[in-house]
Amino acid sequence: HLQQQELYFEIYEENLTSQKQKKKKLPPPILQTGKEVPRTVYTSKNFDTARTASTSMLAQPKIVEEEEEEEETTCTSDDGTTCKATTTKSDNVDDNNDGDTTPNPYGDEEYDDEEYLPAGQHLLMDMKYLEPAFLNSEERLAKAMIETIDQAQLTLISYHCHSLIPSGVSCVGVLLESHISFHTWPEHGVITLDLFTCGSNPLLPAVAIMERLFGVPSIPRWKREPFALWSHKLRGFRHDYDIPLATYDLGRNILDCLKTQKQEILSMDTDYQRVDVYKVLYKQKMSYYARNLELLSSAPETALLLDGVLQSRSTGEAAYHEALVHPAMLSHPNPKRVAIVGGGAGATLREVLKHKTVEYVKMIEMDSELMDVTRQYVPEWSDCSDFMIKNSTTGSSGWCGDDPRADVVIMDGLKWFMEEFGNNNHGVAEEEQYDVIIVDALDPEEHVPFAETLYASKTYAQAIYNALSDDGIYVVQVGEPPQHVPEMSSSNSQRAVLAQNLQNVGFASLHMYGESHGRFTEEWNFMLVMKQFSSRALFYQNAAELEVELHKRAMRSTTSTGTSTTTSKNNNNKIPFQIFDGATMMYYQVPSKQFEEVFCLQDKPKPESCNSVLGGYDPKIPNIDTSLLEVKESSLGPNAGRGLFARVDIPVGAYYLALEKIPVLFYPKTRALIHDMQEHHHVSTGLEPLLKYMHGYGDHSMLLGRMATTVDGGVSIFLNHGCNNTYNVGGGGDGGGGLDEQDPETLIQELKETNRKSIFDPTFDRHLAQIIGLGRTTGIHREIKAGEELFNNYVEVGLLKWGQQHEDDRDWEAYLSEIRELCNNNESTNQ
C-alpha cells in the first residue's frame, strides 16, 4: 500500500507539471480509405470541467457541398480556447416529424448491401501491469485508440477525453458502428476498455490489436509482463444464433467469460467446418499461478472446437478418448481389426494402438485440414512415440499414423461404410469385417446431414452390423446427459432413434455410460452395443479381472506418463493409460440415474422395470424380515428338504427380506476357473464343498453374458418353488397367474418375447446386482397365512435371468426340465 501511495503522488505531481509546461497534441480521427464522413448532428452537454486536468474533443472534418447549409458550434481545444467545429444539417429531416432524423448508419452506398439489424458485438478488456506514464498520457492513449479503430477497419467519428485529478484518463469515441471507451488507473497499472460494434464484421481480431497497442509494459516496476482479460459477447436481437460465436462452448464458455485468460491460437475455415484452437486459463487457477510465475507458461490448457462446439481440452482429452476406446476393446475377446470414423485429432487412434492384439486400424477422416491443424497445434494428442511399433518405411516421427498397423484415409466414413457394407452386402467376407468400430464424430444434438445419417439412418445401422465380426462391438460418443423429458421429445431425439435402429438390425445388448473427467461442462456419454449377448461377460468383469486383462493386452510405455506396474526405474513396465483402469470400467457398468429417469418417462407402454421395486425402496410398505419367518421341513415332501414358513400373516405387496439379503456372487470367470481347476488340473481338495455349496444352494443367471451364480447368505436359500403356479412370493403383487413349468412351448415363446424387448433398460442395468442376487423374490404375490410355506416361481426367476440370452435355448430347456423333475419329486434337492 505504501508503494502504491508513493506511485499515486508521483503520478499526480507529473500530471500537474505536464499540464503547466506543455500543450497536448491529440491525433485527429482517421478516415478509412473509400469511406465518406457520415452526416451527423453533434450535440454536447457537460458539467463544469474546471476540476479536470484537461478536456479534449476532436471530430472528423466535414467536406461541405455547396448546396448544404453550414452551422457553427463551439468546443474546447487543447489550450482552453474556443474552436469552431463544422457540422451539417441532415438532408433527411422530416418536417412532419418535429425535425427527427433517420440517418443511414452505413452511408448511402453500403446500406443496400447489408441488412441493418438491432444486434452487435461487444468486446470488454481489462489489462494490468501496464506502464503508469502511458496510462496517464492523454496523447498516447488517444493515439492507441485511434490506431486500434483504424487497424480494426472501423470508422471513428469523434472522441472526447478527460485527464482526471490527480491521475487517470477517461475517453470515449463515437464510431460509425457504435463506440469505444476506456478508463485508466495509473497507480495500479490498470486500464479497462469497452468496444461495441453493430456491423457484421468480426470483432475478435481487435483483441490482438488492443493487446498490442494498449499493452505497454513496465517490467521493472511490476516484475512481470502485461496481463489481459477479455470477453466477447453477442448483443441485441439477432436471427443467426446458429453461428459458432453463438454456441455455448465457444460463445459463452470461452469468449463470453471475462475472468478467463484466453488466447486465440487459430481460427480458420476448412472445406467442411470452422476450426478454433484456444489457450485458456480459468479464474480458479489464476491465483495459484500468480504466486508461482515460473509455472505460468505451461498452465493454460488447449481447447479444440469445431463449428464452435468443444471437441477436447488438453487436460481432459485422455479421459474422453480412453472412455471412448477401452470399454469397447475390452468387451471383445481378441480385437485384431478396428475401424475409426472421425477422430481427426488422432487421439482415438492413439488409444486403439495401445492394445497389442491390434493388427490393423483403419481411420477414416473426412477433413485433412483438421488433421494438419491438430498435428501442428496439439501434436501430443496423436503422439505414439512411447509405445508405437516403428515403421521402417516412414521412420519414427512419433505420429500415430506412422505406426505400421495404422491405415489413415481421407474420405467420408459414413458413406464408405454404407457403400461397402450396406443392405445388399450381408455376405461380407470374414477377413473384411471389423472386431470393433469406433465413431468419434458429431453430437446427436447437431441437426446437420452428416449427424442425421450417423444417428438416424437405418441403412447406416445395418451397414455397421454387417461390417462387424460375430462378436463385434460398436461404440459412439453420444453427447450430454439426457434432459428431463423423453428422449424422443428432446434435442437428443437422434440418440433414441439410433438406439432403436441398432436394436432393429439385430444387436443384442446396448450400454450407456458417462465420463465426467473430460473437462466438458457436463458428463459426456457413450453408447456401446454388442452383436452377441455373451460379450456382456467381458463388459461386466470385476476390477481385478479387468486389471489382469489390461496388463495382458497393453503395449508397454517407455515414459513415465502411464500407470506403473512396478517400483523399478525401468519404464518399460508401465502401461500407457492415464485415467482408465479396472475401477473406472466398473463405474461405466452402471448407467446414470438421468438415463433411468428419462427411460421411465415413457408411457406407451411404461417399461415394466419402472413399475417394480427396482425403482426404489418405499419405507411405507411393510418389510418381512427374518424374525417373522422360520425354517423347517418342507410341505412338498421329503425330497424337497427344508422350507421357509411364515410366523405371522403376511399381506399382499409386502417386501420380502428387502433389507437382509446379502448374496455371494460367483462371476462367470470365477465359475469357469473353479471348474477348470477341478476338471483339468485335478484340484479337488477344498473345491468339492465349494461346488456343492454353489450348485446346491446357488441361483444361476446369464445376465452377465455367461453363467454366474449367486448364493444367498441368509434364510432365503430355503425358499422352494411353487409348482403349478402355486407361488406366493415374487411377481408384481397383483395375485394373478404366472408362467407354469408344465407348458414348455409357452415358455419358449415367452423367452422369445423377452428377447424382443428393449436391448437397453437402464433401470434394469442400474439394479443388475440386485436382480442377479434377488431375482423377483422382492415382494409378496399372494396373502400368506401364519404357518403357511413360502414359495417362489423359479420359472419367472429363470426367465428374468435367462430371457435375454439369445444364443442357445437348449440351456433354457434344460433349466425347465430340472424344475419339472423337482415338481415330480424325481430328484432330491435341498431347495
Side-chain angles (χ1 to χ4, degrees):
H1 289 296
L2 290 175
Q3 289 178 344
Q4 274 194 342
Q5 287 180 359
E6 291 175 359
L7 178 61
Y8 181 87
F9 287 113
E10 177 184 331
I11 295 171
Y12 174 57
E13 293 295 334
E14 291 178 355
N15 193 24
L16 289 178
T17 302
S18 174
Q19 300 304 323
K20 293 177 181 179
Q21 293 181 352
K22 67 174 184 176
K23 291 169 54 178
K24 296 190 298 294
K25 296 296 184 181
L26 296 184
I30 299 175
L31 185 65
Q32 286 284 315
T33 303
K35 287 190 176 182
E36 294 184 359
V37 178
R39 296 170 177 173
T40 63
V41 175
Y42 173 76
T43 304
S44 175
K45 297 286 185 180
N46 57 271
F47 291 106
D48 179 13
T49 59
R51 294 181 61 83
T52 61
S54 68
T55 301
S56 304
M57 181 273 180
L58 288 178
Q60 286 274 14
K62 174 61 184 171
I63 301 175
V64 182
E65 299 178 7
E66 292 181 0
E67 69 274 16
E68 292 177 337
E69 179 184 351
E70 296 183 5
E71 65 176 16
E72 291 185 352
T73 60
T74 61
C75 63
T76 305
S77 66
D78 298 344
D79 57 2
T81 61
T82 58
C83 64
K84 294 182 180 180
T86 304
T87 63
T88 305
K89 292 183 179 180
S90 171
D91 293 335
N92 295 327
V93 175
D94 184 354
D95 294 333
N96 296 322
N97 195 28
D98 299 328
D100 188 21
T101 63
T102 55
N104 178 339
Y106 290 104
D108 293 337
E109 296 181 359
E110 294 187 28
Y111 189 75
D112 295 333
D113 297 332
E114 182 173 7
E115 184 179 5
Y116 183 54
L117 298 173
Q121 302 171 70
H122 200 171
L123 183 61
L124 305 175
M125 180 174 289
D126 299 341
M127 301 184 74
K128 193 174 184 180
Y129 308 119
L130 306 184
E131 180 187 281
F134 167 73
L135 296 178
N136 208 44
S137 170
E138 200 173 325
E139 300 97 323
R140 294 172 67 185
L141 289 166
K143 181 180 179 182
M145 177 179 66
I146 291 172
E147 290 183 3
T148 295
I149 297 305
D150 181 50
Q151 294 180 30
Q153 298 182 346
L154 302 172
T155 302
L156 180 63
I157 299 175
S158 65
Y159 69 92
H160 190 91
C161 292
H162 287 269
S163 289
L164 306 178
I165 298 174
S167 67
V169 176
S170 289
C171 287
V172 60
V174 179
L175 307 180
L176 174 61
E177 297 81 5
S178 188
H179 73 267
I180 183 173
S181 63
F182 60 81
H183 181 76
T184 70
W185 291 263
E187 67 276 16
H188 296 282
V190 171
I191 184 173
T192 60
L193 300 108
D194 176 341
L195 174 59
F196 183 91
T197 64
C198 54
S200 62
N201 290 335
L203 193 55
L204 281 174
V207 171
I209 298 172
M210 293 166 70
E211 288 181 331
R212 174 168 47 82
L213 294 175
F214 284 94
V216 179
S218 183
I219 297 177
R221 181 179 294 278
W222 305 116
K223 311 302 182 187
R224 60 172 297 175
E225 295 284 346
F227 173 82
L229 297 173
W230 56 271
S231 169
H232 177 278
K233 301 174 182 288
L234 295 179
R235 298 287 304 278
F237 302 92
R238 55 197 322 119
H239 58 67
D240 55 348
Y241 283 107
D242 58 341
I243 61 175
L245 294 181
T247 61
Y248 181 88
D249 292 336
L250 177 59
R252 183 183 298 181
N253 202 30
I254 294 181
L255 300 181
D256 195 9
C257 190
L258 180 60
K259 296 306 180 183
T260 296
Q261 186 179 3
K262 48 193 169 287
Q263 179 186 3
E264 180 186 282
I265 305 301
L266 173 76
S267 182
M268 63 172 288
D269 291 315
T270 72
D271 291 339
Y272 299 98
Q273 56 204 334
R274 169 176 169 151
V275 181
D276 288 282
V277 180
Y278 274 83
K279 290 281 189 180
V280 184
L281 180 62
Y282 288 92
K283 178 182 178 181
Q284 56 268 34
K285 295 183 179 182
M286 288 181 186
S287 59
Y288 171 79
Y289 289 107
R291 297 190 301 269
N292 300 273
L293 297 179
E294 70 279 4
L295 302 176
L296 187 58
S297 60
S298 61
E301 64 179 7
T302 304
L304 172 67
L305 304 101
L306 302 182
D307 288 331
V309 178
L310 179 65
Q311 304 302 301
S312 281
R313 301 180 190 269
S314 56
T315 54
E317 67 84 13
Y320 167 80
H321 289 102
E322 288 181 1
L324 173 64
V325 172
H326 301 311
M329 298 294 286
L330 289 175
S331 297
H332 192 282
N334 187 29
K336 295 181 178 180
R337 289 174 54 84
V338 180
I340 301 171
V341 177
T348 304
L349 175 61
R350 178 195 69 207
E351 296 304 317
V352 171
L353 292 172
K354 290 179 180 179
H355 290 256
K356 63 175 65 173
T357 61
V358 172
E359 298 175 356
Y360 175 75
V361 190
K362 189 181 190 72
M363 174 180 158
I364 311 171
E365 169 59 51
M366 182 187 300
D367 195 342
S368 61
E369 292 178 276
L370 172 62
M371 292 177 60
D372 294 338
V373 164
T374 54
R375 286 189 67 182
Q376 179 179 354
Y377 293 100
V378 282
E380 63 275 13
W381 294 8
S382 58
D383 183 8
C384 294
S385 57
D386 63 335
F387 60 82
M388 70 184 292
I389 298 174
K390 306 305 180 184
N391 193 324
S392 58
T393 303
T394 60
S396 56
S397 66
W399 180 53
C400 297
D402 287 338
D403 191 300
R405 297 173 292 169
D407 178 19
V408 180
V409 294
I410 306 300
M411 65 173 67
D412 185 334
L414 303 187
K415 181 179 179 181
W416 181 82
F417 267 102
M418 288 190 289
E419 290 178 350
E420 294 293 318
F421 303 100
N423 291 327
N424 298 323
N425 292 321
H426 289 284
V428 179
E430 183 177 342
E431 62 272 13
E432 296 179 0
Q433 291 180 317
Y434 294 91
D435 299 314
V436 178
I437 297 175
I438 303 168
V439 177
D440 185 10
L442 295 177
D443 305 337
E445 297 94 337
E446 300 293 324
H447 289 274
V448 297
F450 187 91
E452 290 172 358
T453 300
L454 171 61
Y455 292 102
S457 170
K458 297 179 181 179
T459 303
Y460 171 71
Q462 185 65 63
I464 291 296
Y465 187 87
N466 297 342
L468 284 168
S469 57
D470 289 342
D471 46 5
I473 307 294
Y474 172 69
V475 65
V476 55
Q477 68 89 10
V478 289
E480 297 178 345
Q483 303 160 7
H484 296 287
V485 295
E487 283 272 79
M488 289 300 295
S489 303
S490 73
S491 60
N492 289 312
S493 60
Q494 293 189 136
R495 179 165 60 196
V497 172
L498 174 62
Q500 188 61 53
N501 288 342
L502 293 172
Q503 174 171 324
N504 292 342
V505 299
F507 282 96
S509 187
L510 186 151
H511 304 265
M512 292 281 196
Y513 61 93
E515 171 54 58
S516 58
H517 298 90
R519 299 283 287 123
F520 296 99
T521 52
E522 297 189 76
E523 182 176 71
W524 211 252
N525 293 274
F526 306 86
M527 179 188 294
L528 186 151
V529 289
M530 308 166 177
K531 285 188 77 171
Q532 301 294 342
F533 192 83
S534 59
S535 297
R536 292 166 64 96
L538 296 176
F539 183 83
Y540 282 116
Q541 294 178 92
N542 62 37
E545 292 172 326
L546 290 161
E547 289 290 344
V548 171
E549 198 64 29
L550 278 173
H551 283 72
K552 284 181 179 178
R553 296 191 186 192
M555 302 284 286
R556 285 303 185 262
S557 173
T558 59
T559 69
S560 58
T561 58
T563 302
S564 178
T565 65
T566 176
T567 57
S568 168
K569 294 182 179 180
N570 185 354
N571 287 329
N572 291 328
N573 287 326
K574 294 182 179 293
I575 57 175
F577 305 114
Q578 294 188 35
I579 304 295
F580 187 81
D581 57 12
T584 302
M585 182 65 186
M586 291 196 72
Y587 171 77
Y588 296 158
Q589 293 169 2
V590 182
S592 71
K593 183 65 175 178
Q594 289 168 286
F595 275 107
E596 180 183 8
E597 290 178 347
V598 168
F599 178 77
C600 289
L601 290 176
Q602 301 178 63
D603 56 3
K604 296 182 180 180
K606 192 175 187 66
E608 180 184 351
S609 60
C610 300
N611 296 319
S612 71
V613 72
L614 299 180
Y617 179 82
D618 187 350
K620 297 179 181 178
I621 298 176
N623 176 51
I624 306 306
D625 58 30
T626 305
S627 65
L628 304 178
L629 305 172
E630 63 177 332
V631 178
K632 58 185 180 181
E633 291 297 321
S634 174
S635 62
L636 295 177
N639 289 334
R642 285 164 289 183
L644 199 56
F645 292 80
R647 293 179 182 270
V648 298
D649 292 346
I650 301 176
V652 174
Y655 290 140
Y656 166 75
L657 299 176
L659 303 179
E660 297 182 46
K661 288 193 172 185
I662 308 176
V664 178
L665 174 60
F666 293 86
Y667 279 88
K669 278 191 175 181
T670 306
R671 279 180 48 93
L673 178 62
I674 293 173
H675 285 287
D676 182 68
M677 292 174 65
Q678 183 191 40
E679 296 175 8
H680 299 99
H681 299 283
H682 308 291
V683 180
S684 59
T685 304
L687 288 181
E688 290 184 2
L690 179 60
L691 288 169
K692 183 178 180 180
Y693 172 74
M694 185 172 67
H695 289 295
Y697 293 97
D699 189 6
H700 308 303
S701 171
M702 297 294 291
L703 291 179
L704 293 181
R706 298 192 184 280
M707 184 72 74
T709 299
T710 55
V711 183
D712 190 349
V715 298
S716 191
I717 60 174
F718 299 108
L719 186 65
N720 278 305
H721 170 61
C723 299
N724 301 316
N725 226 356
T726 59
Y727 70 98
N728 49 29
V729 175
D734 57 2
L739 298 173
D740 194 324
E741 69 281 346
Q742 302 296 339
D743 187 2
E745 292 185 3
T746 300
L747 292 174
I748 294 297
Q749 182 61 33
E750 183 73 18
L751 173 68
K752 296 184 183 300
E753 289 295 328
T754 302
N755 289 342
R756 282 197 287 268
K757 293 179 181 178
S758 175
I759 61 175
F760 175 58
D761 185 332
T763 301
F764 193 94
D765 290 344
R766 280 181 55 81
H767 301 276
L768 194 58
Q770 178 185 351
I771 295 169
I772 293 173
L774 309 182
R776 289 183 182 268
T777 59
T778 52
I780 301 303
H781 182 63
R782 296 188 179 99
E783 183 181 3
I784 303 173
K785 297 296 184 180
E788 186 179 348
E789 184 171 2
L790 279 65
F791 296 113
N792 194 6
N793 187 345
Y794 287 4
V795 176
E796 289 199 350
V797 171
L799 183 64
L800 178 70
K801 298 184 179 184
W802 291 68
Q804 294 195 39
Q805 171 60 13
H806 289 252
E807 287 115 29
D808 195 346
D809 290 343
R810 290 175 296 178
D811 290 333
W812 172 243
E813 293 173 353
Y815 177 76
L816 296 177
S817 177
E818 182 180 347
I819 297 177
R820 284 194 294 272
E821 290 181 9
L822 175 68
C823 289
N824 295 329
N825 290 325
N826 291 329
E827 180 177 291
S828 177
T829 179
N830 287 329
Q831 295 187 358

